[in-house]
Amino acid sequence: MIFSSLLFGQESVPTTDEIPKIEKPKYRYISINPGVTIESVSLSIQGRNRDALMVQDDPGRVSWLLDVKSPEYQFSKYIGVNLLLHNSNFYLNRQSIPRILSKSASVETSTSESDSSSSDGDSLTPKKTKVTEDVGTNVEGSYSMLVPIFYLGNPDTFRLGFGMGPAQVRLRGNVDFKDAASNLLIAFSAPGRDNFLNNLRAYQFVSGNINPDSDPTLSYLVANLSSGNNLELVGYYLASQGLLRPDATALTAYLSGRYNAVESFAISSLMRNQVSVNAVAKFAFMMYLESPPFLSLRARLSFGGPIVKENGYTYELRTFHLAMYMPIEF
């Protein structure tokens, strides 16, 4: 027994400090990121030899943020990837138009002042050829982007990320392409109510303003614009969308004696070119700079947006936002 005790006593028994610790993996399935954001959005519409640019009334709009992220996979200490689902709503009620078409008194005054100043040696100063103002148009909508993000950094450092992916885009409203054909249509249409409405209907479909896939109700009413009280129904339908605004076109139509007030507003809205999109954007991108966590919060500065091609037009959304959010990880 003494021998055996001496024999086994020579073997060192491992202590708890010497046993290697195996760290349990962290299973993070999803990260929900509620917060607030200051966002600036613009919409460029181009196609059929026309273009329009819609912007916000304010340079930045404060709204709630609710993004969703996948787990973050680190390929190395400073390179990783995740999947980002970003959602946003927007309301655009100002449009960029040629300066010469502006009816603003301040713009006319500044134009005359710039003309006088150019004679004093300021001819080298570039003049703005376009101004942004309320011309009775507005576009509202939303988009959802699902973007794989490749980033430099890791969750504990600043991260610079970039990604591309699809997006679902919904928008509705009207824009003014300042098309001479549409402006002259009411003045030089053939005599009679039906002739004018038939010309207006043809103009809507030829210009691609009406999309039966995204708005079948409006498409049906416009297709039968001169039948029954469809023009008045168009007015009520557009009023429910907030797309009726008083202007000189509505006043001219009403004073002609052929149309009641609702019909006159409907004609004015149709002359401003309807916009209706509900489609998947094949291309959307986002690039951002994200801060490390502080007080359980993160900050993100980002730029990007989706691009939709539909019905002969290209709709390009450009968003710039500064967000503050709290990641909730599961």
Side-chain angles (χ1 to χ4, degrees):
M1 293 178 62
I2 296 174
F3 177 77
S4 61
S5 62
L6 292 175
L7 179 62
F8 288 103
Q10 293 178 355
E11 296 183 0
S12 60
V13 179
T15 63
T16 56
D17 295 336
E18 296 174 347
I19 298 177
K21 296 180 180 180
I22 301 176
E23 296 184 0
K24 295 182 179 180
K26 297 179 181 180
Y27 294 98
R28 285 195 325 201
Y29 297 101
I30 198 171
S31 173
I32 300 176
N33 306 296
V36 261
T37 178
I38 301 176
E39 188 170 29
S40 177
V41 182
S42 65
L43 171 64
S44 172
I45 306 175
Q46 295 182 341
R48 301 176 183 265
N49 296 320
R50 303 171 177 177
D51 67 274
L53 177 64
M54 298 294 298
V55 298
Q56 294 175 180
D57 190 13
D58 300 319
R61 182 178 64 92
V62 179
S63 60
W64 297 107
L65 175 76
L66 186 60
D67 285 357
V68 179
K69 285 184 181 180
S70 71
E72 295 162 336
Y73 300 98
Q74 291 291 139
F75 299 127
S76 66
K77 186 176 181 180
Y78 293 111
I79 298 178
V81 64
N82 62 17
L83 190 63
L84 174 65
L85 175 61
H86 173 65
N87 307 279
S88 181
N89 300 316
F90 56 87
Y91 178 74
L92 313 174
N93 61 346
R94 296 177 71 83
Q95 185 175 338
S96 176
I97 62 174
R99 190 185 192 96
I100 193 173
L101 298 178
S102 174
K103 298 179 180 179
S104 172
S106 60
V107 172
E108 293 174 357
T109 302
S110 62
T111 303
S112 60
E113 290 176 355
S114 63
D115 291 341
S116 61
S117 63
S118 63
S119 61
D120 297 333
D122 294 336
S123 58
L124 297 179
T125 304
K127 299 178 182 179
K128 293 183 178 180
T129 59
K130 290 191 174 184
V131 295
T132 301
E133 61 183 37
D134 186 354
V135 295
T137 59
N138 66 79
V139 176
E140 63 179 339
S142 63
Y143 66 90
S144 300
M145 299 168 52
L146 185 63
V147 183
I149 299 289
F150 293 88
Y151 58 82
L152 300 177
N154 60 58
D156 299 322
T157 67
F158 279 95
R159 288 190 287 188
L160 180 64
F162 177 79
M164 295 179 294
Q168 177 68 39
V169 180
R170 298 178 179 86
L171 57 90
R172 166 170 282 177
N174 55 21
V175 298
D176 192 346
F177 287 116
K178 298 299 179 184
D179 191 346
S182 66
N183 294 332
L184 296 176
L185 180 62
I186 192 171
F188 294 98
S189 181
R193 173 188 170 100
D194 290 347
N195 289 326
F196 169 74
L197 294 181
N198 289 334
N199 290 340
L200 181 59
R201 175 193 61 191
Y203 173 75
Q204 291 293 316
F205 284 99
V206 169
S207 62
N209 299 328
I210 302 298
N211 188 346
D213 294 332
S214 59
D215 199 334
T217 301
L218 183 60
S219 299
Y220 173 80
L221 292 175
V222 173
N224 301 276
L225 201 58
S226 60
S227 302
N229 65 334
N230 283 344
L231 178 60
E232 187 173 355
L233 292 177
V234 168
Y236 289 123
Y237 180 77
L238 296 177
S240 68
Q241 311 294 327
L243 298 177
L244 294 189
R245 297 283 294 274
D247 62 5
T249 303
L251 180 62
T252 302
Y254 182 74
L255 293 178
S256 70
R258 301 176 184 174
Y259 314 98
N260 61 34
V262 176
E263 292 174 336
S264 300
F265 282 122
I267 290 172
S268 173
S269 182
L270 290 175
M271 300 282 278
R272 283 197 294 262
N273 307 97
Q274 304 306 303
V275 172
S276 182
V277 174
N278 185 0
V280 175
K282 297 181 180 179
F283 175 81
F285 77 96
M286 175 180 283
M287 55 189 304
Y288 69 74
L289 177 63
E290 187 179 56
S291 74
F294 59 98
L295 301 177
S296 301
L297 299 173
R298 285 185 183 271
R300 184 178 69 206
L301 181 66
S302 68
F303 171 75
I307 300 175
V308 177
K309 294 182 180 292
E310 188 173 88
N311 211 29
Y313 290 95
T314 299
Y315 302 87
E316 188 172 334
L317 275 166
R318 285 293 168 262
T319 67
F320 178 88
H321 78 243
L322 175 61
M324 184 77 67
Y325 60 91
M326 176 182 292
I328 303 175
E329 299 173 349
F330 295 93

